[in-house]
Amino acid sequence: MSIDRFSPKARLADTGEGITTDELHLAARNHGMPLEALRYDLTPPGLHYVLVHYDIPMTTAGNWRLTVDGCVEQPISFGLTELRAMGRQTVRVTLECAGNGRASLQPRPISQPWLMEAVGTAEWTGVPLADLLAAAGVRADAVDVVFTGADHGIERGVEQDYQRGLSVTEALESGAIVAWEMNGLPLPPQHGYPLRLVVPGWYGMASVKWLRSIELIDHEFTGYQNAVAYRIRTEADEPGTPVTRIEPRALMIPPGHPDFMSRHRFVTAGEIVLQGRTWSGWAPVDRVEVSTDAGVTWYDAELDAPSNDDLAWRSFTYSWTATPGEHVLTCRAHDRSGRVQPVEAPWNRGGFANNTAQRLTVLVR
Amino acid sequence: MSIDRFSPKARLADTGEGITTDELHLAARNHGMPLEALRYDLTPPGLHYVLVHYDIPMTTAGNWRLTVDGCVEQPISFGLTELRAMGRQTVRVTLECAGNGRASLQPRPISQPWLMEAVGTAEWTGVPLADLLAAAGVRADAVDVVFTGADHGIERGVEQDYQRGLSVTEALESGAIVAWEMNGLPLPPQHGYPLRLVVPGWYGMASVKWLRSIELIDHEFTGYQNAVAYRIRTEADEPGTPVTRIEPRALMIPPGHPDFMSRHRFVTAGEIVLQGRTWSGWAPVDRVEVSTDAGVTWYDAELDAPSNDDLAWRSFTYSWTATPGEHVLTCRAHDRSGRVQPVEAPWNRGGFANNTAQRLTVLVR
């Protein structure tokens, strides 16, 4: 029995090939945030995007242990009660899946077929990762920090617990927290109950769910999710560059009302306030432009005051006088690092970090 | 500008046609229940299936009004506080989408492409619908009861608020409630906040969300969702028969661990307890059979004690000695009305009520 049939290699869709059954299986399990939920400052439970690589593991809070070991002065193991005694911090974080936008690429990388909804913003409460590392004592020989979850599966032939590494510097300086609450309630099962990592500004793959181990190692981590998956490549056999922070993006709430099947939009002519959210994992967004003629002319949107959490989304509005006919609405974000959201992002084999600008076709009547 | 491009007519997929972009847009918004969540008696928030025809409407609880009018002695309008004063009942209900299983049909009806995860069980708290109708006084000329939600859109060219009708008898005798809580918390936005109908035993289309109006009429309701959609048809131009109660189904938790991309399962040889849930909207399920050889031989599973809510799912288990090699697991439910879940359900144009038995291919090592 070849494992290839059960755990296929990565491939690109053929020209004109529709979404496959394998992709549909992933789309039926994982879900995006319906774009009208951009109206909420904090994404309500069940609307925040979720991507689970394997199965949601069966976990209990009572006997949960998190170990911190490896290149530390003193290995430590925490139960949840001990963790709570270490401190309590709440951070507002916009998380986005690294594969968001993948299904719109040509050719399409075969994987979780996200359109553009794989995003959400929540308040995560837990203890700063830096405090846990300080409690264990980071040794001078530590290079990378490896986070291991309780979820287990096979990916492209490699059996694994889900694991991701960060450099010691990233782990200490990213503002990451080890969280047990989402929006003031215990984590839902699909978001990592009872404990997860949250790394602000990074694509979601860094925020390991069902976190049970933090190991400091004296060399670069070369596990599957860092070295094989989540790399930007144009050729299959090149090493590629790692996927890290979230590229700038702006998304509008689709105005008017939809057709059920096509999701096309119908809008009544007149003054309409287009609303949306914008974020970047590199630096705060300080400008959003909107176009109502498919990108021929652009106008600045109004941005609300930034929140205290620089990397969480901000809201923007743009007043549009909608005239009868078909219109293509689009928008793009600029952040303080100088990054500008492209009208068309460069293609890559894994379909990662695709922040191509949203295009919304509406029929004004 | 033809509306057909924006609101296409129903069609079947061509032979070999992959899932379309329109179907993917629906799959990215709506989501099933990952089958490992069959382990929970009550489906946690965000894991229960959700199907929203149009957009989740922007609603507030403070000014919400529900009107009961038409063929009644005394029209009434309720705010949420007044409704809560009418009574409080909690019912455990298994809801399933009428389109569950659609995407596996050949040819495939083009619509929300469910595989088999469009299910969930929750405790809904509210006031019995029969009490509201009694308060208004059902007149002798009342024939149907029309429920209207706040969600608005276009479907196959017809602009509409989402509306469904029940006969007066069904409305009074189905045990339906008008609910404001799900699993002890206010309804999430996508499940109808602040108020929805829940009709036990019926496919989900009957349980109108964002409920704002109950109108009794003196004739049969012929609105779109009763007379056009949600009909069992084999030909496009026949009137068809209405989709009503949930057909019997049993689903197993996929054992072992998955491959990320193919969702194929890997199982370690030895004794394995297969677990699942079973339900029917017609009568309690009193027998589940399991086969581990693709349906050649069948064995009775053990059923747990039924809950007080006859139409909510029951749990079943079957002990299997897994031997190395590839195995196809399947199961089927029998209910007390005499209905038996088919190995292959008959095809229909809308892809409704398809309770074809689950088939799980596993590789035992």
Side-chain angles (χ1 to χ4, degrees), chain A residues 6-7 36 55 259 262 265, chain B residues 6-7 55-56 259 262 265:
Chain A
F6 280 73
S7 186
E36 64 269 32
D55 287 357
D259 174 67
S262 68
R265 311 293 306 188
Chain B
F6 281 74
S7 187
D55 287 357
I56 300 166
D259 174 65
S262 68
R265 310 295 305 189

Side-chain angles (χ1 to χ4, degrees), chain A residues 182-194:
Chain A
M182 180 183 188
N183 293 347
L185 290 170
L187 300 178
Q190 70 275 29
H191 287 291
Y193 178 83

Side-chain angles (χ1 to χ4, degrees), chain A residues 278-346:
Chain A
T278 181
W279 62 92
S280 165
W282 293 100
V285 171
D286 58 4
R287 185 178 177 205
V288 169
E289 292 174 286
V290 172
S291 168
T292 59
D293 58 5
V296 177
T297 50
W298 294 88
Y299 298 94
D300 279 356
E302 278 200 50
L303 273 170
D304 72 353
S307 78
N308 290 330
D309 299 288
D310 278 346
L311 304 183
W313 64 24
R314 294 177 70 175
S315 129
F316 66 87
T317 54
Y318 176 76
S319 286
W320 174 42
T321 305
T323 54
E326 189 179 349
H327 301 269
V328 176
L329 314 180
T330 183
C331 58
R332 62 184 175 196
H334 304 244
D335 76 16
R336 280 193 206 142
S337 75
R339 286 174 174 81
V340 182
Q341 187 181 0
V343 170
E344 176 122 25

Side-chain angles (χ1 to χ4, degrees), chain A residues 40-57:
Chain A
Y40 307 108
D41 289 339
L42 293 181
T43 312
L47 292 178
H48 194 292
Y49 98 90
V50 66
L51 188 283
V52 175
H53 275 242
Y54 314 122
D55 287 357
I56 300 166

Side-chain angles (χ1 to χ4, degrees), chain B residues 21 26 28 35 72 74 82 95 153 184-185 267 269 290 293 318 359:
Chain B
T21 302
L26 285 170
L35 292 188
V72 295
Q74 177 62 54
E82 294 152 305
L95 285 180
L185 290 170
V267 170
V290 172
D293 58 5
Y318 176 75
R359 285 170 70 90

